[in-house]
């Protein structure tokens, strides 16, 4: 048996950045490890400049995501005004107001992807024991910084309801929680007879369900320079009858 911290992520908008080149900013169809740990770090009050604590968090925690609903893709044509680099020389620009106060402005055009009405269940487990999970559970109930679903414009629409669960493996852990079943019923779009994808790091995984491996580039290397390395995820199916086993009403 092992301890897992399990909680749900749901919001009208979410954006979990994929590899971005140029003006296009795509999103993964489910939360990346860096997105999940960014939310956790914000809740714990870890600042973005604290590379030591952020790297320790990434090294200690493993993640899994059960995709209950990927939502719909929204593509936003985005423009923003920024001063040219020549105007920023020898200036201290601390706020957006400071940027806009400069006389010359350039317009940057980008396209940004979002997921609408997406619903995920996340599991975390720690290499150093359950004490770290207990601290994170408390932080998710009373976060020190505002958590969001990938972008600041994407606040969560539900309390996280983080719960520590003892289970044989991560697959068993993500089907145990009974919280938010009422909301899943109200959404009315989730077929309880469907099979849902579970993406998890290899440790503590289970080879049932037609598992295969994929590679993601979301392992933190250096936050200061936005550097991320590759890691391996296992993919397997979880049956809806297991996810909704505690709910007797058909949807």
């Amino acid at each position: 048996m092992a301890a897992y911290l399990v909680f749900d992520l749901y919001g009208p908008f979410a954006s979990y950045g994929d590899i971005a080149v140029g003006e296009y900013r795509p999103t993964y169809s489910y939360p990346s490890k860096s997105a999940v740990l960014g939310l956790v770090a914000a809740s714990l009050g870890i600042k973005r400049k604290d590379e030591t604590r952020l790297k320790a968090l990434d090294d200690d925690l493993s993640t899994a995501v059960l995709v209950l609903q990927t939502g719909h893709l929204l593509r936003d044509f985005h423009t923003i005004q920024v001063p040219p680099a020549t105007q920023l020389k020898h200036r201290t620009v601390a706020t957006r107001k400071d940027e806009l106060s400069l006389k010359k402005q350039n317009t940057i055009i980008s396209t940004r992807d979002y997921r609408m009405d997406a619903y995920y269940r996340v599991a975390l487990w720690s290499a150093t024991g359950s004490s770290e999970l207990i601290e994170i559970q408390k932080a998710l109930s009373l976060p020190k910084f505002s958590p969001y679903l990938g972008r600041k414009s994407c606040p969560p629409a539900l309390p996280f309801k983080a719960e520590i669960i003892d289970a044989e493996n991560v697959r068993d852990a993500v089907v145990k929680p009974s919280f938010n079943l009422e909301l899943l019923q109200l959404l009315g779009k989730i077929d309880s007879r469907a099979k849902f994808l579970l993406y998890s790091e290899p440790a503590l995984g289970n080879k049932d369900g037609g598992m295969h491996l994929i590679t993601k580039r979301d392992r933190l290397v250096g936050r200061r320079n936005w550097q991320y390395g590759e890691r391996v995820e296992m993919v397997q199916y979880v049956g809806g009858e297991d996810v909704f086993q505690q709910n007797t009403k058909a949807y």
Side-chain angles (χ1 to χ4, degrees):
M1 299 286 280
Y4 298 87
L5 182 66
V6 181
F7 56 95
D8 285 4
L9 298 179
Y10 172 75
F13 291 95
S15 185
Y16 303 110
D18 198 344
I19 297 172
V21 179
E23 64 185 27
Y24 178 45
R25 300 289 184 269
T27 176
Y28 287 120
S29 60
Y30 63 97
S32 59
K33 180 176 183 178
S34 56
V36 171
L37 295 190
L39 183 148
V40 168
S43 300
L44 290 168
I46 300 176
K47 295 184 177 180
R48 292 181 177 182
K49 294 181 180 180
D50 194 340
E51 290 231 21
T52 302
R53 290 186 68 191
L54 290 173
K55 190 66 173 65
L57 197 68
D58 185 87
D59 292 340
D60 179 50
L61 295 176
S62 297
T63 61
V65 178
L66 177 66
V67 181
L68 293 170
Q69 183 165 281
T70 58
H72 304 285
L73 178 66
L74 171 70
R75 186 154 291 163
D76 176 36
F77 179 75
H78 188 91
T79 63
I80 185 172
Q81 286 187 305
V82 294
T86 53
Q87 285 208 41
L88 295 175
K89 285 185 178 180
H90 312 299
R91 292 177 183 266
T92 300
V93 179
T95 66
R96 178 68 176 145
K97 183 179 180 181
D98 292 342
E99 281 189 341
L100 294 176
S101 67
L102 300 177
K103 183 174 290 187
K104 188 174 180 182
Q105 298 286 329
N106 291 335
T107 300
I108 294 177
I109 298 173
S110 66
T111 302
R112 304 185 181 196
D113 286 352
Y114 297 84
R115 308 300 308 187
M116 298 189 300
D117 204 27
Y119 199 112
Y120 310 97
R121 178 160 292 162
V122 176
L124 304 176
W125 60 98
S126 170
T128 57
S130 59
S131 57
E132 178 85 354
L133 299 181
I134 293 170
E135 184 182 358
I136 295 170
Q137 182 186 31
K138 293 177 180 177
L140 289 172
S141 298
L142 193 63
K144 293 184 179 178
F145 298 142
S146 297
Y148 44 85
L149 306 181
R151 292 186 182 276
K152 291 180 181 178
S153 58
C154 305
L158 282 179
F160 298 118
K161 296 186 179 180
E163 181 178 344
I164 293 179
I165 293 172
D166 292 322
E168 290 290 341
N169 53 58
V170 68
R171 184 186 184 281
D172 290 346
V174 295
V175 301
K176 279 190 176 182
S178 59
F179 51 71
N180 290 334
L181 281 174
E182 296 84 357
L183 176 69
L184 291 175
Q185 181 180 349
L186 289 173
L187 284 174
K189 302 173 184 176
I190 301 179
D191 184 358
S192 61
R193 298 164 297 179
K195 290 186 176 181
F196 302 102
L197 285 170
L198 173 63
Y199 299 87
S200 64
E201 295 196 68
L204 305 176
N206 165 329
K207 292 193 175 182
D208 294 336
M211 182 184 301
H212 62 278
L213 302 178
I214 62 172
T215 301
K216 294 283 290 292
R217 186 177 290 275
D218 61 355
R219 175 180 56 82
L220 181 65
V221 175
R223 174 63 181 82
R224 188 182 304 276
N225 295 319
W226 294 85
Q227 294 176 313
Y228 294 91
E230 292 184 345
R231 68 183 180 93
V232 174
E233 277 189 333
M234 299 189 299
V235 186
Q236 60 182 302
Y237 286 107
V238 176
E241 67 278 4
D242 295 324
V243 176
F244 298 98
Q245 61 184 332
Q246 299 182 59
N247 188 17
T248 59
K249 186 173 182 179
Y251 358 164

